[in-house]
Amino acid sequence: VEGESFAKACEHALIALKNCFHDSNYDLVIYTQEMGDLSYRQKMLENDFLKALGEQGLRLYLQPKRDLAKNQWCGAEALTRWHHPELGVVAPDDFVSLLEKNGTIGRLDLYILERVCSFLQNRLQEGKMAQPISVNLSRRHIISRTLLTDISRIVGKYSVPHHYLEFELTERAIHHQEDLLAARLHELHLAGYKISLDDFGAGYSSLSFLSKLPFDVVKLDKSFVKTSLKDKPGFIADIVRMIHHLEMKVVLEGVETKEELQFAKEVGCDLVQGFYFAKPMPEEKYKELVYA
């Protein structure tokens, strides 16, 4: 490339090649500055991740869930935001996939679990009300041989009763080493933890598959529901009824409007989660809202 050193030109070519692999629709990709900026940002996030764990740059955020029958808060999903010293607030979508690729995603799972356990311990030790919190488990971590040992170590450290914790895995995770996955889920269930399936309807899950695994909660994917909101409400209602026959609760996530809330009630969902009621928020704001 004119005006560039050979080493720099090779670096740019490799970045363009990587983008070509990610998008198979193109046989030719030309390097742009935007590609270089994105590559630099991703390398920075990968290099700074472990440092962020030690310095608590990754902060716990909680998104409340609403019980429709009781019309009250009933717990939350644990999420995270990375407050990076140079990049500012980084959303999970910008770094979780990187951690999945380099194999450090399990560290993030356990870090969030520890923050959740600390939060619950503080509530319980102060004699205050506490509600269950769900923690996400990554696809790679869920099949780890040390999964239950890792979880038990952290939960035991903070003396949190197991019924306050729920573990979420996404729909795409259940089609990855299914026999091993089933064994891990049964271990968690026997230990007294609740288990939920996230993003149901976004992929290829079947109700027959649900019956084989010890799920307590099924979260309907928002994109799946939004396409059926006006055209096929009866279809969603039938799915909710069948999930109820399996003695599982149903959560509609991504509820942003009054119309979507009414839809959740009409099809028989048990809980809702979404911006209509509350966005993910830091621990203190969560306590002010839910425990006021």
Side-chain angles (χ1 to χ4, degrees):
V1 178
E2 186 176 351
E4 290 189 347
S5 66
F6 177 75
K8 183 62 71 174
C10 288
E11 179 185 334
H12 290 173
L14 288 172
I15 292 173
L17 182 63
K18 185 182 295 184
N19 277 268
C20 189
F21 284 144
H22 290 327
D23 194 338
S24 58
N25 294 322
Y26 298 98
D27 296 323
L28 174 67
V29 175
I30 299 175
Y31 172 83
T32 65
Q33 186 59 48
E34 288 76 13
M35 287 183 193
D37 293 342
L38 179 60
S39 178
Y40 174 77
R41 178 185 175 90
Q42 290 176 337
K43 285 181 181 178
M44 180 183 291
L45 291 174
E46 284 189 277
N47 293 336
D48 293 349
F49 171 64
L50 296 180
K51 182 179 178 181
L53 291 181
E55 298 178 355
Q56 296 190 350
L58 287 157
R59 300 179 190 174
L60 175 65
Y61 275 59
L62 298 166
Q63 185 171 31
K65 300 175 185 177
R66 192 83 175 175
D67 187 306
L68 292 179
K70 298 178 180 178
N71 192 30
Q72 64 185 27
W73 304 116
C74 58
E77 178 182 359
L79 302 166
T80 186
R81 298 291 183 271
W82 186 347
H83 291 251
H84 194 279
E86 292 184 43
L87 302 176
V89 179
V90 184
D93 289 347
D94 293 333
F95 63 87
V96 167
S97 60
L98 295 175
L99 303 182
E100 287 177 339
K101 289 176 184 176
N102 66 23
T104 58
I105 188 66
R107 298 284 297 272
L108 177 63
D109 292 347
L110 296 177
Y111 177 82
I112 297 303
L113 174 61
E114 183 146 11
R115 300 309 310 150
V116 166
C117 287
S118 176
F119 175 82
L120 290 169
Q121 182 194 57
N122 290 337
R123 297 290 303 176
L124 296 171
Q125 285 185 343
E126 293 171 1
K128 297 178 180 178
M129 181 181 75
Q131 294 179 338
I133 297 178
S134 60
V135 179
N136 291 282
L137 291 177
S138 62
R139 179 172 54 177
R140 294 184 66 163
H141 193 201
I142 191 70
I143 59 174
S144 169
R145 292 183 177 180
T146 63
L147 177 68
L148 185 59
T149 302
D150 293 338
I151 290 173
S152 299
R153 173 178 53 81
I154 294 173
V155 175
K157 174 182 175 181
Y158 293 93
S159 303
V160 175
H162 293 190
H163 65 271
Y164 283 109
L165 293 167
E166 178 181 308
F167 291 102
E168 287 191 20
L169 63 154
T170 61
E171 185 187 64
R172 62 178 183 149
I174 66 176
H175 300 292
H176 182 63
Q177 299 190 34
E178 294 179 8
D179 292 339
L180 190 54
L181 170 67
R184 296 292 175 267
L185 293 185
H186 282 290
E187 287 176 358
L188 288 174
H189 211 256
L190 288 173
Y193 301 108
K194 283 186 167 49
I195 305 172
S196 67
L197 176 63
D198 197 8
D199 300 335
F200 182 81
Y204 303 99
S205 290
S206 65
L207 292 169
S208 62
F209 191 82
L210 283 182
S211 65
K212 300 175 184 177
L213 295 174
F215 292 112
D216 300 283
V217 179
V218 175
K219 300 179 74 174
L220 301 181
D221 184 70
K222 59 183 179 182
S223 61
F224 168 62
V225 172
K226 287 182 186 299
T227 58
S228 305
L229 188 59
K230 295 180 180 179
D231 301 330
K232 303 174 183 177
F235 171 63
I236 301 294
D238 289 341
I239 289 177
V240 171
R241 279 193 290 270
M242 286 188 282
I243 294 174
H244 282 161
H245 284 314
L246 296 173
E247 299 182 349
M248 302 174 187
K249 288 190 174 183
V250 179
V251 181
L252 178 57
E253 54 183 352
V255 173
E256 299 176 353
T257 66
K258 189 174 182 179
E259 180 188 23
E260 291 168 355
L261 173 62
Q262 185 61 33
F263 176 81
K265 294 177 179 178
E266 290 175 356
V267 300
C269 293
D270 303 289
L271 314 175
V272 292
Q273 178 183 344
F275 287 7
Y276 181 79
F277 284 108
K279 295 181 179 181
M281 60 191 70
E283 299 172 48
E284 291 304 317
K285 287 190 176 181
Y286 174 78
K287 286 191 287 187
E288 292 173 6
L289 175 68
V290 174
Y291 298 128

